[in-house]
Amino acid sequence: MFSEIETPCLVLDKGILERNAARFLRRASERGVFLRPHLKTSKSVDVAKIATGGRMSGVTVSTLREAEYFARNGFDDILYAVGVTQNKFERIRRISSETGKTILVSTDNLVVAEALIEFATRTGFRFQTVVEVDCGEHRGGLAAGDRELVRIATLLNGSPCLDFQGLMTHAGHSYASDAASEIAKIADAERNAAVDAATAIRDAGAACELVSVGSTPTFLHAPSFDGVTEVRSGVYLFFDLAQFSRNVCTISDIAVSVLATVIGHNRRGRALILDAGALAMSKDVGANDFLPDAHYGYVCDPVSMGRLGSLSIQTVHQEHGSVSVDDDIWFERLPVGSMVRILPNHVCMTAAGGFGKYLVMNDGQIVDEWDRIDGW
Amino acid sequence: MFSEIETPCLVLDKGILERNAARFLRRASERGVFLRPHLKTSKSVDVAKIATGGRMSGVTVSTLREAEYFARNGFDDILYAVGVTQNKFERIRRISSETGKTILVSTDNLVVAEALIEFATRTGFRFQTVVEVDCGEHRGGLAAGDRELVRIATLLNGSPCLDFQGLMTHAGHSYASDAASEIAKIADAERNAAVDAATAIRDAGAACELVSVGSTPTFLHAPSFDGVTEVRSGVYLFFDLAQFSRNVCTISDIAVSVLATVIGHNRRGRALILDAGALAMSKDVGANDFLPDAHYGYVCDPVSMGRLGSLSIQTVHQEHGSVSVDDDIWFERLPVGSMVRILPNHVCMTAAGGFGKYLVMNDGQIVDEWDRIDGW
């Protein structure tokens, strides 16, 4: 089936994607919380429509290129979940003005808040804003008890030139554990930080309608969403070995793989050489903390998707991936020119490697090609 | 100067590029060897013209997308230096037929050699071929003394339907050392393997006009090029911290940087947050073996390009880069919204992160934008 296809190539199993999407939408509905899927993993309008159940609004992005692409393709209510800065204001204004779609921007900084008000006042463009809360990852955001957070929220809320919507936080440190009990604790801390911050902001007289949390692990393990209005999981649409290694999914939940060709046999070094290297797979090995044999990805049969022995890509150069073999039988089973599919270590990084599109499969057949939007 | 520029953004210093290119062209001329620059790092027609000194031929690529891009932009004699397979034949035929430009293909495998002959016979398309020799990296290629190598070469040479040009080898393992004497030994082994293989092929009655070697370190340290016809260095055009860490260049030879914005202050965690994360910088940390403080890149003043204290990007998430600071003064010196430029750890990976273009600077001014061609 794949023999004429040029490799490396990103393959997306639509059936698995739909199952993952439906599972999370169902869970959100059961827990009484809005699911605002993060599209930084998929960067695809076709995936987004499945992720939202057809609703053309309420999504999360990590670049303005994504924001622009989704807005121009009809999506509204787009949360840009990376701290905004002054050099990005004009593009946001242009996208919103030209499409009529809303882009929510986030900050944890007083200088930026003042600059947002200044720009809004000067141009008449009405930003929709949230503040970012740090719930323990210590990347972006201010602590729930930080008076600066309330100061920024009330400043934004008090300006007649823009709208203040609420707050967001992200427990990215939930990826550091593979234990459900530990992830549940982090999820609880994520919720508490969000709710405490919302309370502090409301106590200061500002509205705080949006209380947004989320990562894939904490969404699955959170004991409660009381006081939370929405979650922003994203990688669950595709899953990968990093999520599998943390007991967040099974291997059969992984929807994306890289189709690669065996381009050489290194018989002396006992390795198969693939045309999926550092650019196709990425150099992210986050799964390996809990799954050391993941290396740069599991090597699977291209049709059955069963793993081939214990094969994985163990070394990568820019366009070469080397797969160590413990038995010469692999040189017979996988002649040069034959194909394999690789389950990625960290799919957000792999999918962004420059493929530009997905080869979409359903029930074992190639049914479509979907584009994706990388870069900035 | 940069305040209106959206970030992250790939910046190329044209003056440094021209100096690096001229230095290597001069060295090749002095050593009596042809320089066939590897364009997998730059993926840019504008860079290629500088690398070849204006000659529109004799270049190396690592993807067919690059081959197609350079051929359609007028470049001839393009060596595709990654082992070719059957699923790529038709695209090569199409590119060559439509542009009239030559693409040399490489293999180390008998099955592929037979398939090349079968395809050439069936379609009338005349492949230009080389065989790949392993000189110690143990990735692609067959050892100089391997009888299979001679068998493939004579098979290709004997076919009336295609042309056999010679051989290529690559001492990629030269990157594993920072000692000139050690690199010189590897360069010698690279040359010996190439010359021995060429001799064996000629002894078997085949012509072997092309004897192609090359990496940036071995080109600089090789004691001799006797018997070698060309070298294929590439990263020297840009250089990076990985090359600096191996004493192959100075910091002031690095031509490419990532312009980034400070998007947050994590005062409790004592870190600056940048909008250059894992996608903008890549997760390659190859420099760190010899330069542990390189992390994901040195943080520099955007205008002077002097390093800011001992700052580097120490942690990356998809769109966030975290820079630890040892003094709160950095929060004053680099307010949110200010810009920095990052010297990359491994520029081949960083530049391929999805930027799609270079912001070109000369004498401290932005003078142009050049496109680049990522993906496959």
Side-chain angles (χ1 to χ4, degrees), chain A residues 129 153-154 157-158 164-167 198 201-210:
Chain A
T129 61
T154 52
N157 187 66
F164 176 69
Q165 297 284 356
L167 64 85
I201 290 168
R202 288 176 189 137
D203 285 351
C208 186
E209 289 184 13
L210 194 83

Side-chain angles (χ1 to χ4, degrees), chain B residues 93-175:
Chain B
R93 187 201 63 74
R94 197 174 63 241
I95 299 167
S96 272
S97 303
E98 291 175 9
T99 62
K101 307 301 182 191
T102 297
I103 300 170
L104 283 78
V105 299
S106 161
T107 189
D108 61 3
N109 187 267
L110 195 63
V111 171
V112 174
E114 287 166 346
L116 282 164
I117 292 168
E118 187 280 323
F119 185 93
T121 307
R122 178 162 52 81
T123 63
F125 175 68
R126 197 162 189 88
F127 284 108
Q128 305 296 309
T129 61
V130 301
V131 289
E132 185 173 2
V133 176
D134 178 15
C135 63
E137 184 182 30
H138 307 319
R139 185 178 69 184
L142 295 168
D146 195 321
R147 278 181 297 184
E148 187 86 347
L149 183 74
V150 175
R151 192 172 164 204
I152 296 167
T154 52
L155 181 72
L156 292 171
N157 188 67
S159 167
C161 300
L162 49 71
D163 294 316
F164 176 69
Q165 297 285 358
L167 63 85
M168 56 161 274
T169 191
H170 169 61
H173 54 308
S174 64
Y175 287 14

Side-chain angles (χ1 to χ4, degrees), chain A residues 5-7 40 87-88 91 109 138-139 261 266 275 283-284 317-319 336 339 354 375-376, chain B residues 5-7 40 63 87-88 91 109 138-139 261 266 275 283-284 317-319 336 339 354 375-376:
Chain A
I5 294 174
E6 260 191 72
T7 53
K40 76 181 180 69
N87 55 336
K88 291 168 184 166
R91 186 172 181 190
N109 187 269
H138 307 319
R139 185 178 70 185
T261 303
N266 179 347
D275 63 355
K283 293 199 79 163
D284 196 309
H317 295 89
Q318 187 161 337
E319 297 293 346
V336 172
M339 290 187 178
W376 294 277
Chain B
I5 294 175
E6 260 190 72
T7 52
K40 77 180 180 70
T63 68
N87 56 336
K88 291 166 184 166
R91 185 172 182 190
N109 187 267
H138 307 319
R139 185 178 69 184
T261 303
N266 178 348
D275 63 356
K283 294 200 77 162
D284 196 310
H317 295 89
Q318 186 160 335
E319 298 293 347
V336 172
M339 289 188 179
W376 293 277

Side-chain angles (χ1 to χ4, degrees), chain B residues 2 46 70 130 138 185 302 362 375:
Chain B
F2 293 117
D46 300 282
F70 288 110
V130 301
H138 307 319
K185 275 186 212 163
N362 208 10

Side-chain angles (χ1 to χ4, degrees), chain A residues 298-333:
Chain A
Y298 281 173
V299 179
C300 299
D301 180 272
V303 177
S304 76
M305 285 306 287
R307 187 170 177 199
L308 294 169
S310 58
L311 301 190
S312 60
I313 299 180
Q314 280 157 310
T315 310
V316 287
H317 295 89
Q318 187 161 337
E319 297 293 346
H320 296 80
S322 299
V323 179
S324 295
V325 296
D326 53 9
D327 190 319
D328 284 352
I329 190 77
W330 290 111
F331 296 121
E332 314 312 317
R333 288 186 60 183

Side-chain angles (χ1 to χ4, degrees), chain A residues 3-8 40-41 43 62-66 81-88 91 108-109 111-112 134 137-140 142-143 261-266 268 273 275 278-280 283-284 317-320 322 336-337 339 348-349 352-355 374-376, chain B residues 3-8 40-41 43 62-66 81-88 91 108-109 111-112 134 137-140 142-143 261-266 268 273 275 278-280 283-284 317-320 322 336-337 339 348-349 352-355 374-376:
Chain A
S3 63
E4 300 294 310
I5 294 174
E6 260 191 72
T7 53
K40 76 181 180 69
T41 309
K43 300 187 187 233
S62 67
T63 67
L64 290 186
R65 190 158 203 211
E66 293 164 38
V82 174
V84 74
T85 45
Q86 296 86 320
N87 55 336
K88 291 168 184 166
R91 186 172 181 190
D108 61 3
N109 187 269
V111 171
V112 173
D134 177 14
E137 184 183 29
H138 307 319
R139 185 178 70 185
L142 295 168
T261 303
V262 178
I263 62 167
H265 283 168
N266 179 347
R268 285 198 308 171
I273 313 299
D275 63 355
L279 288 182
K283 293 199 79 163
D284 196 309
H317 295 89
Q318 187 161 337
E319 297 293 346
H320 296 80
S322 299
V336 172
M339 290 187 178
C348 304
M349 295 294 293
F355 300 96
D374 294 302
W376 294 277
Chain B
S3 63
E4 299 294 309
I5 294 175
E6 260 190 72
T7 52
K40 77 180 180 70
T41 309
K43 300 188 187 232
S62 66
T63 68
L64 290 186
R65 190 158 203 211
E66 293 164 38
V82 174
V84 74
T85 46
Q86 296 86 320
N87 56 336
K88 291 166 184 166
R91 185 172 182 190
D108 61 3
N109 187 267
V111 171
V112 174
D134 178 15
E137 184 182 30
H138 307 319
R139 185 178 69 184
L142 295 168
T261 303
V262 178
I263 62 168
H265 283 169
N266 178 348
R268 284 200 306 171
I273 314 299
D275 63 356
L279 288 182
K283 294 200 77 162
D284 196 310
H317 295 89
Q318 186 160 335
E319 298 293 347
H320 296 79
S322 298
V336 172
M339 289 188 179
C348 304
M349 296 294 292
F355 300 95
D374 294 302
W376 293 277

Side-chain angles (χ1 to χ4, degrees), chain B residues 302-319:
Chain B
V303 177
S304 76
M305 285 306 288
R307 187 170 177 198
L308 294 169
S310 59
L311 301 190
S312 60
I313 299 180
Q314 280 158 311
T315 310
V316 288
H317 295 89
Q318 186 160 335
E319 298 293 347

